[in-house]
Amino acid sequence: MSEDSRPPLPPPAALVEGDLTLHGRVMPASNATFVGEIGDLRVVYKPVRGEKPLWDFPDHSLAGREVAAYELSAALGWDVVPTTVLREGPHGPGMVQAWCEVDAEQAAVDIVPGDEVPDGWRHVFDGLDAEDRPVALIHEDTPVLRRMAVFDLVANNADRKGGHVLEMPGGHRHGIDHGLTFHHEPKLRTVLWGWAGEPLAEDEIGGLADLVEALQGDLGESLSHLVRVDEVAATLRRCRRLLEEPVFPTPSGEWPAIPWPPF
Ligand SMILES: Nc1ncnc2c1ncn2[C@@H]1O[C@H](COP(=O)(O)OP(=O)(O)O)[C@@H](O)[C@H]1O
Ligand SMILES: [Mg+2]
């Protein structure tokens, strides 16, 4: 399937309407994460009640952050985040997200032996495997993954692990698990550091410029019901700063740059 012919994601209304039936839990998962169905749509459901408390994010706020991440993605128009809504479910209110059927043969983020970074890939860091052999964490160098990295800069994503990048059959990539986003303090933790120090592309800058507008209008208004008002203001500041200096940042060293474990 080519990227252009991939099936469209359901509109938010399709996920809000209809009964949600659960089929099971996703394991392993750090929060209570269920798989279910609304009509013939397969969905993920994370009830607020099942959120694991964290020291640095307010309790019961992760579902709202996941929906805020979807709204930011929708405003950007890059289709990073699958359709996500807040609604009632069998375990109370929570976030419901369209399930994406991935292509298990593809890997956008990978660990390879030694320093063999293949063509078309970007190097993130070197380490040792369980037998002390050198390995490298790498990710693909594609426009669609770059856009996800730009999205993460704006959303201040503190949890972009390899497993939070879904490889879709036609080559598209969706990002998932956006509960740790929109903090007012810098917290970017990601495996997508492969473009650090490089200038943003024209379309990426264009997307950020559109976001500055949107954040001062409808998007800012809708985000303010999902995350704190100071977090919406910080999002606008991050966009503006990126437009002033349109370059992928390098890790600051002030906090862990890579989520652990990275997958
Ligand atoms: N929208 C989705 N489409 C397909 N698979 C998903 C989706 N959301 C989650 N998953 C699967 O469920 C796993 C756990 O979901 P995740 O959002 O990471 O939950 P947690 O917050 O518990 O870490 C993911 O690693 C992925 O395999
Ligand atoms: Mg996760």
Side-chain angles (χ1 to χ4, degrees), residues 30-229:
S30 40
N31 299 291
T33 301
F34 297 87
V35 181
E37 253 170 20
I38 299 171
D40 52 9
L41 291 174
R42 202 176 160 88
V43 296
V44 175
Y45 163 56
K46 297 189 195 173
V48 171
R49 213 188 280 163
E51 292 178 4
K52 190 177 79 178
L54 298 164
W55 68 270
D56 50 351
F57 282 84
D59 287 352
H60 311 304
S61 74
L62 306 196
R65 292 171 195 280
E66 296 236 29
V67 178
Y70 164 69
E71 303 224 336
L72 184 77
S73 158
L76 261 173
W78 295 344
D79 202 9
V80 175
V81 184
T83 314
T84 315
V85 299
L86 277 177
R87 59 162 283 170
E88 275 297 324
H91 301 292
M95 76 77 123
V96 169
Q97 184 174 74
W99 181 265
C100 301
E101 217 49 68
V102 302
D103 177 358
E105 300 293 303
Q106 298 183 39
V109 182
D110 211 350
I111 291 181
V112 293
D115 48 9
E116 297 165 17
V117 179
D119 280 350
W121 289 74
R122 294 284 175 142
H123 176 262
V124 181
F125 76 95
D126 296 312
L128 296 172
D129 71 6
E131 270 98 50
D132 270 356
R133 289 172 304 208
V135 289
L137 181 75
I138 61 172
H139 64 69
E140 63 183 16
D141 183 8
T142 55
V144 67
L145 197 65
R146 272 180 69 111
R147 285 179 163 190
M148 191 184 301
V150 175
F151 164 86
D152 285 341
L153 298 178
V154 177
N156 194 18
N157 190 355
D159 202 23
R160 178 65 67 207
K161 298 178 171 179
H164 296 158
V165 178
L166 300 185
E167 294 88 353
M168 305 307 291
H172 189 68
R173 273 58 178 125
H174 282 303
I176 55 157
D177 203 356
H178 299 113
L180 307 191
T181 50
F182 294 101
H183 202 285
H184 63 282
E185 289 170 6
K187 273 189 187 289
L188 181 67
R189 268 198 299 270
T190 176
V191 291
L192 306 181
W193 285 111
W195 301 284
E198 294 190 15
L200 298 182
E202 220 164 284
D203 65 299
E204 293 157 355
I205 293 171
L208 292 173
D210 292 345
L211 270 189
V212 166
E213 291 287 306
L215 281 164
Q216 294 172 98
D218 289 352
L219 177 64
E221 164 64 18
S222 67
L223 291 191
S224 69
H225 299 284
L226 297 163
V227 299
R228 291 191 338 216
V229 172

